[in-house]
Amino acid sequence: MSKPRFNWWPFVLNIVRDYPAKRAALKELHEQKITASINGMPRGGGASRIIENVALRQLPRQEQKEHDAVHEAVRRTKILPDGKLRLDVVKLTLWGYSYSIPGAAQALNISDRTARRYRWQFILLVGHTYGFLSAEEYYSHVSKDMGNKITDSQSQKTVI
């Protein structure tokens, strides 16, 4: 295995791999749990603000930051012209389907190089949204490979 170019690369790769579990945990936290009273007697003990309690539940701060970074990367990837295909590569190689990159490329009918580039750019985007890369660093890496326009919503910088 080759040495990663960035020191944070293995960390971000693990964040991306853990995203489905974190998303499920966050969804479970925001579900309202209702238990019926079996004996028919009213419950005592004070007022309960169930809806507010559900809305205030969150993942721990670090896990929430990791979830938000990947979620933002997914949102930005979806709006690209080939965003669905890019997310399919990520899904097949990192989110529980255990495809190799060549296997995912074959399943999606794209070249191995394209699948590697889509996965690499997605992990770079997560690194950018997490805060490891500035907008300029991110765009300098991605603009070498992408032929279409990308706009960063925060800096409104367009790279061709």
Side-chain angles (χ1 to χ4, degrees), residues 18-125:
D18 292 342
Y19 176 71
K22 284 187 175 74
R23 186 171 178 178
L26 187 65
K27 184 179 177 185
E28 183 181 325
L29 282 175
H30 289 156
E31 287 179 353
Q32 185 175 353
K33 297 182 177 30
I34 300 175
T35 306
S37 177
I38 297 174
N39 62 6
M41 298 297 293
R43 292 186 186 193
S48 176
R49 303 179 85 173
I50 296 171
I51 302 301
E52 289 87 349
N53 290 338
V54 168
L56 293 175
R57 286 188 215 142
Q58 290 184 345
L59 291 171
R61 181 175 289 159
Q62 180 67 27
E63 290 183 20
Q64 186 69 44
K65 184 178 179 183
E66 293 169 3
H67 172 273
D68 292 346
V70 180
H71 188 73
E72 177 64 16
V74 168
R75 187 192 67 76
R76 288 187 188 186
T77 303
K78 280 182 182 178
I79 62 174
L80 294 174
D82 55 355
K84 184 185 179 319
L85 185 60
R86 290 171 179 267
L87 288 176
D88 286 344
V89 170
V90 172
K91 190 183 302 181
L92 290 177
T93 59
L94 297 173
W95 290 341
Y97 291 95
S98 68
Y99 276 77
S100 63
I101 294 176
Q106 185 176 11
L108 297 171
N109 200 21
I110 57 175
S111 71
D112 179 43
R113 185 174 175 147
T114 300
R116 286 182 194 281
R117 187 176 70 242
Y118 286 174
R119 184 176 184 248
W120 180 78
Q121 288 174 348
F122 184 80
I123 294 170
L124 274 180
L125 182 56

